[in-house]
Amino acid sequence: MKKIVSWSKRRGFVFPSSEIYGGFSAVYDYGPYGVELANNIKKNWWKRMVQENENIVGLDTSIFMHPKVWEASGHVDGFSDPLAECKQCHTRIRADHLLEDAGIFADEKMTEEEINQLLDENKDKIKCPKCGNKGNFSKVKKFNLLVKSNLGNFTGEWEKDSVYLRGETCQGIYINFKNVLDSTRQKIPFGIAQIGKAFRNEITARQFIFRKREFEQMEMQYFIHSEMAKKNYKKWREKRWQYYLDLGIQEKNLKWHQHENLVFYAQEAWDIEYNFPFGFKELEGIHYRTDYDLKQHSQFSGKDLSYYDPQKNEKYIPHVIETSVGVDRTFLAVITDAFKEEDLGDGKKRLVVKFSKSLAPIKIAIFPLLKNKPELVQKARAIYNKLKSKFMCEFDDNGNIGKRYRRQDEIGTPYCVTVDFDTLKNDTVTLRDRDTMQQERISIDQLDDFFQKEFSD
Ligand code: ATP
């Protein structure tokens, strides 16, 4: 993990937020290559979910919503983590994490009292991860994860007018269910997809971008008749698993986890876990949420959110299958999976990040062999100028060629093109493959076709 964190900063993928002010806990910024990778992840997800599915449409809803949305969703009352304070070092820690580290499972539905009892019963096993203190913790308090804002609060009465930054993107989908139905020709079953920021007052800021306070979700809500839900739920689980294989993630690093303790409205819930540097943890949740969400919003808004099927002459509140994944967790999984330190023999090593071609931030790097030979530089620039409108390219004339290759390996660029003295004679260039490190000659007028095929995804 340490290696990935330091590489992320050194190579411009992830920067800690507000670093010049000493940092800002659990908030991170994406650097020049990080933003390319994150954009590619989002583009890829959108293509798979929206573009390739006739019955899925997209939305982009606001971060701010009517405060009632969060009452209806249950977040105002129920969206909380149990927090305990170490009496020795005063660090506040999630009690369910303390218990989990000791091999004890705390159910989300447990009350403060029940968690306190568990902590008490297992005193000798529970240890502060910061200072090592055993079993000496304050009583647990539940802490709401919603992030409050003072938007439009002109009365100064904080509690009365609470507006929240959204804690998940799917609520924006539920409250627009009717709008989508009325403005498109979609019929049940159909899905609505959205990518956007979500905010949570996460207590434990740990594990790098795995748990952020401001993060991005890619969610799809599939609206369906209850009779069809089970079958489609299985289909979506299979599709989402395949999606990760298609992203180039190794199957051995993926695992299913079925929730044993379901929230009361869910019928079935599975997560896809990824083998992060700190172990298998949730990457995506695929949950069968029944008709809970639309029912709640119908009730709280007083608007009828049912669906009318004219063929069957049936009116009902659709059930929902949700697929929900974080951009940031996908980012971390993709990097973990692609990050390789290869032994080249003779004590030589190389760091290479083997991103799939569709996710690589830079697709092609173009070099003149020497920067002080204008005819080489001109030719390399001409190739760069031609390719850059179709592919994300980088021009580099800095340092020796070996160093430039190593730099591109470290940011995961699949191909490097070098213009050398032979180019001036016969219009061919050296094409170097990141993974095999093989080099071949290819004529300049074939480059376009070659890359079109390679990056056709
Ligand atoms: P966890 O149990 O790890 O806190 P969760 O069950 O609360 O996650 P969901 O509410 O199901 O997560 O959110 C769906 C997805 O959003 C998660 O699978 C994850 O990929 C992403 N996600 C949730 N919380 C965070 C966060 N704090 N930082 C980054 N990504 C997150």
Side-chain angles (χ1 to χ4, degrees), residues 121-137:
E121 282 165 7
N122 296 284
K123 238 186 192 154
D124 48 330
K125 290 193 213 144
I126 296 203
K127 217 167 87 182
C128 171
K130 189 102 178 266
C131 72
N133 153 41
K134 264 196 171 173
N136 194 12
F137 291 91

Side-chain angles (χ1 to χ4, degrees), residues 26 75 79 81 94 96-97 108 145 167-168 198-200 202 204 207-219 244 259 271-272 276 281-287 289 322-330:
H75 284 76
F79 193 47
D81 280 340
R94 268 174 67 170
D96 54 330
H97 285 167
E108 272 177 32
L145 295 180
E168 57 184 24
F199 303 81
R200 292 182 191 177
E202 297 281 2
T204 14
Q207 296 157 338
F208 194 37
I209 56 171
F210 178 83
R211 191 173 299 286
K212 292 164 80 183
R213 293 190 173 133
E214 173 182 340
F215 58 102
E216 205 161 8
Q217 290 186 313
M218 305 187 279
E219 299 201 293
Y244 291 106
H259 291 214
D271 294 337
I272 296 179
F276 290 102
K281 293 264 185 235
E282 175 177 339
L283 171 61
E284 166 157 355
I286 302 151
H287 303 156
R289 300 174 61 101
E322 167 184 77
T323 76
S324 172
V325 57
V327 172
D328 315 274
R329 285 192 193 174
T330 311

Side-chain angles (χ1 to χ4, degrees), residues 70-342:
W70 303 106
E71 278 176 46
S73 68
H75 284 76
V76 173
D77 288 334
F79 193 47
S80 57
D81 280 340
L83 199 64
E85 188 175 316
C86 167
K87 282 198 178 160
Q88 195 166 288
C89 69
H90 302 289
T91 306
R92 289 181 179 177
I93 312 158
R94 268 174 67 170
D96 54 330
H97 285 167
L98 279 175
L99 288 161
E100 197 181 299
D101 290 346
I104 304 147
F105 180 76
D107 181 349
E108 272 177 32
K109 284 177 285 181
M110 277 183 171
T111 61
E112 282 172 14
E113 262 166 52
E114 286 167 329
I115 297 172
N116 278 325
Q117 197 181 336
L118 258 189
L119 284 174
D120 217 42
E121 282 165 7
N122 296 284
K123 238 186 192 154
D124 48 330
K125 290 193 213 144
I126 296 203
K127 217 167 87 182
C128 171
K130 189 102 178 266
C131 72
N133 153 41
K134 264 196 171 173
N136 194 12
F137 291 91
S138 71
K139 288 252 177 282
V140 164
K141 272 205 114 166
K142 284 225 171 179
F143 183 81
N144 195 289
L145 295 180
L146 283 178
V147 178
K148 253 183 211 171
S149 92
N150 68 345
L151 182 86
N153 178 333
F154 304 115
T155 63
E157 286 183 60
W158 195 254
E159 291 305 323
K160 207 172 117 202
D161 295 345
S162 280
V163 173
Y164 300 98
L165 301 181
R166 66 181 172 201
E168 57 184 24
T169 56
C170 59
Q171 298 303 327
I173 295 180
Y174 301 136
I175 61 172
N176 277 292
F177 167 73
K178 259 275 186 277
N179 282 337
V180 172
L181 206 56
D182 293 345
S183 59
T184 65
R185 286 174 299 108
Q186 294 297 339
K187 293 192 186 79
I188 296 271
F190 76 97
I192 304 178
Q194 165 155 246
I195 299 176
K197 289 266 171 123
F199 303 81
R200 292 182 191 177
N201 231 335
E202 297 281 2
I203 294 144
T204 14
R206 56 177 193 181
Q207 296 157 338
F208 194 37
I209 56 171
F210 178 83
R211 191 173 299 286
K212 292 164 80 183
R213 293 190 173 133
E214 173 182 340
F215 58 102
E216 205 161 8
Q217 290 186 313
M218 305 187 279
E219 299 201 293
M220 193 278 296
Q221 311 294 314
Y222 200 69
F223 300 95
I224 192 159
H225 192 289
S226 61
E227 279 168 14
M228 305 269 289
K230 279 267 175 199
K231 203 170 126 216
N232 274 267
Y233 180 53
K234 186 160 176 282
K235 189 187 83 184
W236 276 109
R237 290 205 308 270
E238 287 163 3
K239 276 194 170 203
R240 295 304 301 154
W241 182 268
Q242 186 58 41
Y243 162 85
Y244 291 106
L245 304 184
D246 296 346
L247 272 191
I249 301 242
Q250 302 165 77
E251 197 159 15
K252 68 171 178 21
N253 286 331
L254 294 170
K255 193 165 94 175
W256 282 110
H257 165 79
Q258 182 173 19
H259 291 214
E260 284 160 23
N261 297 282
L262 293 170
V263 277
F264 67 94
Y265 54 80
Q267 277 236 347
E268 210 176 328
W270 290 81
D271 294 337
I272 296 179
E273 295 188 340
Y274 179 78
N275 190 11
F276 290 102
F278 36 83
F280 275 99
K281 293 264 185 235
E282 175 177 339
L283 171 61
E284 166 157 355
I286 302 151
H287 303 156
Y288 175 19
R289 300 174 61 101
T290 70
D291 56 3
Y292 174 77
D293 306 286
L294 290 182
K295 261 195 179 152
Q296 286 293 102
H297 286 299
S298 282
Q299 193 191 325
F300 276 73
S301 68
K303 299 276 165 1
D304 180 13
L305 299 182
S306 56
Y307 174 78
Y308 175 66
D309 180 342
Q311 259 149 12
K312 290 190 186 156
N313 191 21
E314 187 187 357
K315 198 173 156 199
Y316 60 93
I317 298 245
H319 279 217
V320 168
I321 293 163
E322 167 184 77
T323 76
S324 172
V325 57
V327 172
D328 315 274
R329 285 192 193 174
T330 311
F331 188 108
L332 187 57
V334 162
I335 287 176
T336 309
D337 224 74
F339 196 87
K340 309 267 183 265
E341 282 174 302
E342 288 183 351

